[in-house]
Amino acid sequence: MTIRTAAPPRRLHAPEEAGAPTKARVRRLLSSSGFRIAARMILGAAVLVAIVVRVGGEPFLHGLASVNVPAIAASLALFAAATAAAAWRWTIIARRLGASLHWWRAVGMYYRSQFVNTVLPGGVVGDVQRAVDHGRASERAGAAGIGAAARAVAIERVLGQGVQVVLSIAVLAVVGMEFESVLLPALGIGLAVVAVAVAAATLGSGRVRRALRREAAELRAGLGSLRVGVQAVVASLIVCGCHLAMFAVAASAVGAAVPPARLLALAVVVLLAASVPVNVGGWGPREGAAGWAFAVAGFGAAAGVSSATLYGVLALIAVAPGAIVAWVAPLVARRRTR
């Protein structure tokens, strides 16, 4: 006679335990770079769709049809000057950090990074690439390695963005009366939120305090000299001025009759929006901000969208030399290795 033993009772998982793996997967998905990039592109596409629904597709077509040889030539020259100034800024900061870099080589690498940032999602892949390439070249030359090179790229990008924000606030305070009631409070609130968040994180975590002290020390090392700091700020102002002039070229080409002072304020607003990392290859917030700013200033949303569209096309053409550098650089590297 066979005696059957009772099977052990199944353990019923609590709802919290059953849902834990799902929550972990959701957290991993939300924190992944792929999800962030996709979310930015979706938001940028949504902005573009909203603009088309609002003003129609004709302003975009008018901007595309306004491309002409003088505008292309002016944009190529202005973009080249901006790239040269940005490479100068990068060079002097890298040298301060012990990662020697020749200016002519920095210009080529900067062109390539801008092209890669334009064609690939995320907007930072090109900067990562030039930091890694510069760091490896520095190591081979017996200088500082990838760490110093990455810090140099981070410092020069942050400095460029900071100078752009300060310049924008100054321009809007002087000639941007139409936008003072909206943009200046928005910028002030944004800066206040960042300051409060940093202060709260600093007070609540010793690790954050150590990280901030370390980053401040790196920033002092990169910009510790008054001469280097002044040069870097001047280079950043040149970069901003060239891009503002490019937008003026685009506005003139589409036939937008805007006085110079008003056009300066409009260009500042558009370029601030263009730096928002929620776009599709640079498209989205730039055109939306241009349509809104031109409408508020009394020049019509269609003129703003057309100007921003042509500016985007001219920027794509102007960054084309970076494609040549991106194609030639691996060939040169392989030949040197052989």
Side-chain angles (χ1 to χ4, degrees), residues 26-189:
V26 170
R27 282 197 297 269
R28 284 196 299 269
L29 174 64
L30 295 178
S31 61
S32 65
S33 59
F35 176 82
R36 291 196 296 268
I37 292 172
R40 292 172 183 174
M41 296 182 68
I42 291 172
L43 289 173
V47 172
L48 283 175
V49 171
I51 297 169
V52 172
V53 171
R54 178 70 176 175
V55 302
E58 187 174 349
F60 291 94
L61 297 176
H62 177 58
L64 294 173
S66 300
V67 178
N68 55 61
V69 174
I72 292 175
S75 299
L76 284 170
L78 289 168
F79 197 85
T83 303
W88 175 42
R89 177 181 65 199
W90 179 29
T91 300
I92 58 179
I93 293 174
R95 288 174 181 170
R96 279 282 304 178
L97 294 176
S100 180
L101 179 63
H102 294 292
W103 174 78
W104 61 267
R105 186 167 181 268
V107 171
M109 295 172 71
Y110 219 103
Y111 255 117
R112 183 184 61 180
S113 72
Q114 291 175 120
F115 171 75
V116 174
N117 285 343
T118 301
V119 299
L120 292 183
V124 296
V125 179
D127 296 315
V128 174
Q129 183 184 29
R130 67 184 167 99
V132 172
D133 290 348
H134 175 215
R136 289 174 177 170
S138 298
E139 286 180 347
R140 287 194 297 268
I146 294 178
R151 287 191 291 272
V153 170
I155 290 173
E156 70 94 8
R157 282 298 303 267
V158 170
L159 177 65
Q161 293 290 333
V163 170
Q164 181 185 1
V165 170
V166 173
L167 178 64
S168 301
I169 292 174
V171 169
L172 292 176
V174 176
V175 294
M177 289 73 69
E178 302 94 339
F179 315 113
E180 284 183 353
S181 60
V182 177
L183 289 180
L184 291 182
L187 288 172
I189 291 172

Side-chain angles (χ1 to χ4, degrees), residues 311-330:
Y311 173 84
V313 174
L314 294 175
L316 285 174
I317 295 173
V319 81
I324 300 174
V325 177
W327 177 67
V328 172

Side-chain angles (χ1 to χ4, degrees), residues 248-268:
V249 169
S252 175
V254 300
V258 184
R262 307 288 293 282
L263 183 57
L264 176 61
L266 293 172
V268 160

Side-chain angles (χ1 to χ4, degrees), residues 178-179 183 265-267 269-270 287-301 304:
E178 302 94 339
F179 315 113
L183 289 180
L266 293 172
V269 174
V270 174
E287 287 69 30
W292 170 79
F294 274 69
V296 170
F299 300 105

Side-chain angles (χ1 to χ4, degrees), residues 272-337:
L272 271 179
S275 63
V276 176
V278 179
N279 54 66
V280 181
W283 304 83
R286 178 181 61 206
E287 287 69 30
W292 170 79
F294 274 69
V296 170
F299 300 105
V305 174
S306 297
S307 300
T309 300
L310 180 54
Y311 173 84
V313 174
L314 294 175
L316 285 174
I317 295 173
V319 81
I324 300 174
V325 177
W327 177 67
V328 172
L331 301 178
V332 175
R334 283 198 296 268
R335 184 171 299 177
R336 286 180 177 176
T337 301

